[in-house]
Amino acid sequence: MGTQLSTPTAILLGSAMIAAAVYLGLRHGPAAVAPDARTAGAAPPVEAGPGASAAPAERAGAPTSERAKAVPRDEVARQAALALDAHRPTLVDRCYKPAIAAKPEPRAVKYVFNITFDAGGRQIARGLIEDHETARPEVTACLVAALPPVAIPAPGANVRVDVPFSLP
């Protein structure tokens, strides 16, 4: 009969194989990953904020006719909050009310949306962070599925904002 490995030895060998696979897979860096077709050629996100009033075209020395002022980041966050609030009645009816009917506590659910908009005001990325004290996984899953991409007036540059949001 052959020799058998002890459990700690098997774990150690398995960990070493996983570490080697991760090392070999990551050593080529991000260049080994195919670029996303949606963002190919797009400028990297620019955090527009106080003191950052110029669009990328202006910083690059583009002609005056192509220059546009970037909207301050706090204004973009305000516009994003308004865009989210426009969907609130639908989200309350579709996601919040069924959850409250099944389990009444906690009454409020709190989130923070991380939204990135392109220079034209279209959403190009969105994340959702839920408050762990008021977490309702069924409401969170419904929000992710039910909320369409939001749009705001063109900010003039790619901007990422964090927007607090709560239901009801």
Side-chain angles (χ1 to χ4, degrees):
M1 184 178 250
T3 61
Q4 292 187 355
L5 295 176
S6 66
T7 301
T9 304
I11 291 172
L12 180 63
L13 287 175
S15 299
M17 290 188 324
I18 291 171
V22 169
Y23 171 75
L24 294 172
L26 294 179
R27 71 180 182 163
H28 295 290
V33 177
D36 187 353
R38 294 175 298 170
T39 59
V46 174
E47 299 282 337
S53 62
E58 184 174 350
R59 288 190 299 272
T64 307
S65 62
E66 295 177 23
R67 294 181 186 174
K69 290 282 188 180
V71 177
R73 189 169 165 205
D74 58 340
E75 177 62 18
V76 172
R78 187 186 71 74
Q79 292 169 351
L82 292 173
L84 289 172
D85 282 339
H87 295 283
R88 183 181 304 277
T90 303
L91 297 173
V92 167
D93 289 342
R94 187 169 172 187
C95 302
Y96 178 76
K97 286 182 179 178
I100 285 295
K103 181 181 167 196
E105 292 298 324
R107 295 294 296 171
V109 287
K110 299 176 186 177
Y111 302 98
V112 175
F113 279 98
N114 310 106
I115 307 174
T116 303
F117 296 99
D118 67 7
R122 292 175 305 198
Q123 173 188 303
I124 55 176
R126 179 173 69 202
L128 180 63
I129 301 169
E130 65 182 336
D131 179 281
H132 291 291
E133 293 178 12
T134 64
R136 286 182 166 266
E138 68 281 6
V139 176
T140 304
C142 181
L143 274 177
V144 169
L147 185 64
V150 295
I152 60 169
N158 287 5
V159 181
R160 187 194 68 80
V161 294
D162 295 332
V163 182
F165 186 79
S166 62
L167 291 175

